[in-house]
Amino acid sequence: MEAFSDGVFSIAITLLVLELGVASSSEEDLLGALAHQWPSYLAYLVSFSTIGAVWFAHTVITEYLDRATPVFVQLNLILLMVVAFLPFPTRLLAEFIGEAEAERVATTVFGINLLLTAVLVWVLWRYAVHARLMRPDPDMTHEDLKTLNQRLTPSVGAYVVMIVLGLFLPVVAVFGYLAIAVFILVPFRATRHRSSHP
């Protein structure tokens, strides 16, 4: 299950780069054409960071997993489905930033996808704990549990706030999505470091 999940994360994060490019007729002003693609770079950065954060969280959960139930596997598949869908709203966001009403729709669809991803990671984690799927491991300290809860729970509310903000200030909301991904990502790096160096 972990290997399959890692494969889906890898494919989804790789597909993001396929949305980057410039028109073949841009040879007269290639630098300007590259600069004009800033929405694509921004969308790529946010989506890459988000998938990376989700992958880190998923890895932390599975590192401590002792067994998996059918429900856990099903929840994991739903999470992977949402992650694999992310390149599509990423392309929408890149194409329609700066297009008045269209950018609001694109930002909202993008934000909802990110929100669903965060919710599903949180549900997966809470289910694993509630169903006692985590192995008894002395390396899994109270601090590890606290880090997971402190990072996953607030991110759900933050995405809701950014979705609402995106209706009025779409570009600001996109930067907010990036900040949430960083908020989730950095502590998990520290958590994995602790678990690999008892």
Side-chain angles (χ1 to χ4, degrees), residues 43-63:
Y44 170 81
L45 180 61
V46 175
S47 294
F48 189 99
S49 300
T50 300
I51 294 177
V54 172
W55 176 74
F56 264 111
H58 187 273
T59 301
V60 170
I61 293 171
T62 54
E63 275 185 352

Side-chain angles (χ1 to χ4, degrees), residues 122-160:
W122 182 85
V123 169
L124 194 70
W125 162 243
R126 296 310 306 167
Y127 174 79
V129 173
H130 180 73
R132 301 178 185 273
L133 304 181
M134 315 306 285
R135 70 175 187 269
D137 191 332
D139 291 338
M140 190 175 186
T141 64
H142 175 70
E143 190 64 27
D144 293 324
L145 295 170
K146 186 178 178 181
T147 298
L148 284 168
N149 287 320
Q150 285 183 340
R151 297 294 152 171
L152 292 179
T153 304
S155 66
V156 173
Y159 278 123
V160 173

Side-chain angles (χ1 to χ4, degrees), residues 50-176:
T50 300
I51 294 177
V54 172
W55 176 74
F56 264 111
H58 187 273
T59 301
V60 170
I61 293 171
T62 54
E63 275 185 352
Y64 292 117
L65 198 65
D66 181 54
R67 58 191 176 85
T69 64
V71 173
F72 185 90
V73 174
Q74 291 166 357
L75 289 173
N76 190 66
L77 283 173
I78 296 173
L79 170 62
L80 297 179
M81 178 182 69
V82 175
V83 168
F85 185 75
L86 190 55
F88 173 64
T90 300
R91 178 166 59 84
L92 286 181
L93 185 67
E95 289 182 357
F96 294 105
I97 282 184
E99 298 293 334
E101 293 301 319
E103 72 175 355
R104 289 187 173 87
V105 176
T107 304
T108 301
V109 172
F110 186 70
I112 290 174
N113 199 158
L114 300 183
L115 172 63
L116 287 175
T117 302
V119 168
L120 286 167
V121 173
W122 182 85
V123 169
L124 194 70
W125 162 243
R126 296 310 306 167
Y127 174 79
V129 173
H130 180 73
R132 301 178 185 273
L133 304 181
M134 315 306 285
R135 70 175 187 269
D137 191 332
D139 291 338
M140 190 175 186
T141 64
H142 175 70
E143 190 64 27
D144 293 324
L145 295 170
K146 186 178 178 181
T147 298
L148 284 168
N149 287 320
Q150 285 183 340
R151 297 294 152 171
L152 292 179
T153 304
S155 66
V156 173
Y159 278 123
V160 173
V161 172
M162 288 300 110
I163 290 172
V164 174
L165 180 62
L167 298 174
F168 306 96
L169 299 169
V171 176
V172 175
V174 174
F175 279 102

